Amino acid sequence: MASTKRLYYVDVLNCIAIYFVLVLHTSQLAFLGNANDSNYITALILQTLCIPAVYIFFMNSGATLLDYRKKYSTKTFIIKRLKRVGVPFLVWSILYYLYDINHRAYPGPSMHPNPSFTDFINSFANNDINNLFWFFYSIIALYLFTPIISTLIDDHKKVLLAIVVASFVLTDLLNYLSKLSGLKLMTSYITQPLLTSNFIGYFIMGYLIKEEFFSRKEENWLIVVGGLALLLSLINDLTLRKFIVLNNIGPFLYSVALYIIVKRGIAAINNKQNYQFKIFSLLSGASLGIYILHPIFYEILDKYLFHVTPYDWPKFIQLMNNPYQIFLVPVITYVVLSILIILLKKSRFVRIILP
């Protein structure tokens, strides 16, 4: 059984990704506000900058799991994934369903004023308990497909790259061309490749980058193209999305560029100073717990810090324009929940539901 070398850049990227998630969820003014709101453009920019959030998680998963056969059997892989994701997903779906009966938080939880077993099953099957849990549905689909594509890692990396390209074409590129041309090019039959979900490209790309499949020059080009995609998206925000040619630029290229830049940066620091990034390793372990708990914590902060809740929707929209809500809440949430989860995970039971 091969020993596992810790990927410090994965820890750092996990911390970046979960903070991006927190910022995305306090800058919802980008979707619910308008140009008259003083922080509307700010919210648009934050959405653009932080959009790689969950895609980074997918890439990290691919980087760490696609070669699982070198470490343990497929049976062990499935058991580990069930413990890591399946159990928390089910437990917190039940807990959020109960929470939803009497509470309203945004974004995420959906209200269930008439709870029943049938309603729970229907809601669970259709991501209508906490819609932020779309991540679980997607990552589980990728896990189920991993034993198949993991057979390609030794001798068929070019096939893996072909899957990435196909996924990019059928999602980001086709969506862009569809909106640009006004044609209905997107259908459920081709945007969900026969492989699995739309996120397979991120999953595999994380592994290919880890394995240094691309040359330094090729990575440089990926960074340049990703940076250009980001720049065009930011111009789109600053011009209030008036130019159709700048609309609907997908997040794949920018996400890949950011991933490579961070990986390189961490490697440079590690090689120069032999820095172990232990604080990031510790904080990285709290990321999933933060993802699960932050809607509840947001509700607490909204209610007791700003004295506003989604029950009063007009005032809640005003709160979204508050710079303290946009910038301060993610910081408070990250710090408090990180400390809380790290302490709670000292309990063996808590580690089962907040791994």
Side-chain angles (χ1 to χ4, degrees), residues 12-152:
V12 174
L13 281 163
N14 267 336
C15 295
I16 292 172
I18 191 59
Y19 189 76
F20 277 9
V21 166
L22 297 177
V23 174
L24 287 175
H25 295 161
T26 58
S27 56
Q28 294 288 297
L29 185 71
F31 306 108
L32 299 170
N34 57 63
N36 295 323
D37 295 312
S38 58
N39 285 298
Y40 180 66
I41 291 181
T42 299
L44 292 177
I45 291 173
L46 289 174
Q47 286 288 320
T48 295
L49 291 174
C50 297
I51 197 61
V54 177
Y55 305 130
I56 290 174
F57 288 136
F58 291 140
M59 295 174 78
N60 278 347
S61 293
T64 55
L65 296 176
L66 202 47
D67 60 354
Y68 77 86
R69 292 177 185 272
K70 296 179 180 179
K71 294 171 282 188
Y72 39 70
S73 67
T74 296
K75 178 182 178 180
T76 301
F77 169 77
I78 296 297
I79 292 172
K80 282 179 173 290
R81 292 304 96 198
L82 281 174
K83 289 180 178 178
R84 171 71 179 173
V85 172
V87 171
F89 176 38
L90 178 58
V91 169
W92 285 101
S93 291
I94 294 172
L95 293 176
Y96 263 108
Y97 186 81
L98 299 174
Y99 171 88
D100 292 346
I101 296 171
N102 295 311
H103 293 269
R104 187 178 181 189
Y106 184 87
S110 305
M111 292 193 71
H112 293 276
N114 300 304
S116 68
F117 180 74
T118 301
D119 183 60
F120 170 77
I121 296 299
N122 288 333
S123 299
F124 182 72
N126 293 281
N127 190 27
D128 193 31
I129 295 175
N130 180 343
N131 59 43
L132 301 183
F133 280 8
W134 68 270
F135 166 76
F136 286 109
Y137 296 87
S138 299
I139 198 68
I140 287 171
L142 291 171
Y143 290 161
L144 292 174
F145 195 65
T146 297
I148 299 173
I149 56 175
S150 64
T151 60
L152 301 174

Side-chain angles (χ1 to χ4, degrees), residues 149-262:
I149 56 175
S150 64
T151 60
L152 301 174
I153 66 170
D154 291 327
D155 303 314
H156 302 286
K157 287 187 175 66
K158 289 185 178 180
V159 176
L160 291 176
L161 177 61
I163 296 173
V164 173
V165 173
S167 178
F168 171 73
V169 170
L170 294 173
T171 52
D172 288 48
L173 183 58
L174 198 58
N175 181 54
Y176 175 75
L177 294 176
S178 176
K179 298 297 175 60
L180 184 64
S181 65
L183 299 174
K184 295 182 179 180
L185 302 178
M186 304 295 287
T187 77
S188 59
Y189 301 106
I190 58 176
T191 57
Q192 293 283 341
L194 296 177
L195 304 173
T196 178
S197 74
N198 289 349
F199 309 110
I200 186 68
Y202 293 97
F203 190 74
I204 294 175
M205 199 64 170
Y207 172 76
L208 292 177
I209 292 171
K210 184 200 77 169
E211 292 295 304
E212 299 183 350
F213 173 80
F214 303 101
S215 68
R216 186 80 174 187
K217 183 178 180 180
E218 289 168 339
E219 284 192 349
N220 288 342
W221 274 112
L222 287 171
I223 292 172
V224 169
V225 174
L228 179 61
L230 171 62
L231 177 62
L232 293 176
S233 295
L234 291 173
I235 294 173
N236 191 37
D237 296 332
L238 292 170
T239 55
L240 295 174
R241 302 178 175 177
K242 292 179 180 178
F243 302 102
I244 191 171
V245 71
L246 298 178
N247 278 329
N248 304 295
I249 296 174
F252 181 81
L253 296 173
Y254 165 42
S255 299
V256 168
L258 178 62
Y259 198 90
I260 294 172
I261 289 170
V262 173

Side-chain angles (χ1 to χ4, degrees), residues 312-326:
D312 190 343
W313 192 249
K315 287 187 177 181
F316 194 75
I317 295 292
Q318 293 177 15
L319 173 62
M320 291 183 184
N321 193 43
N322 187 324
Y324 293 106
Q325 163 75 1
I326 295 172

Side-chain angles (χ1 to χ4, degrees), residues 80-89 91-92 136 143 282-292 341-342 344-345 347-355:
K80 282 179 173 290
R81 292 304 96 198
L82 281 174
K83 289 180 178 178
R84 171 71 179 173
V85 172
V87 171
F89 176 38
V91 169
W92 285 101
F136 286 109
Y143 290 161
L282 183 65
L283 291 173
S284 175
S287 295
L288 183 58
I290 294 173
Y291 191 92
I292 291 171
I341 290 167
I342 289 170
L344 287 175
K345 285 179 71 171
S347 164
R348 184 177 179 181
F349 170 75
V350 172
R351 288 198 301 271
I352 295 174
I353 62 174
L354 287 176

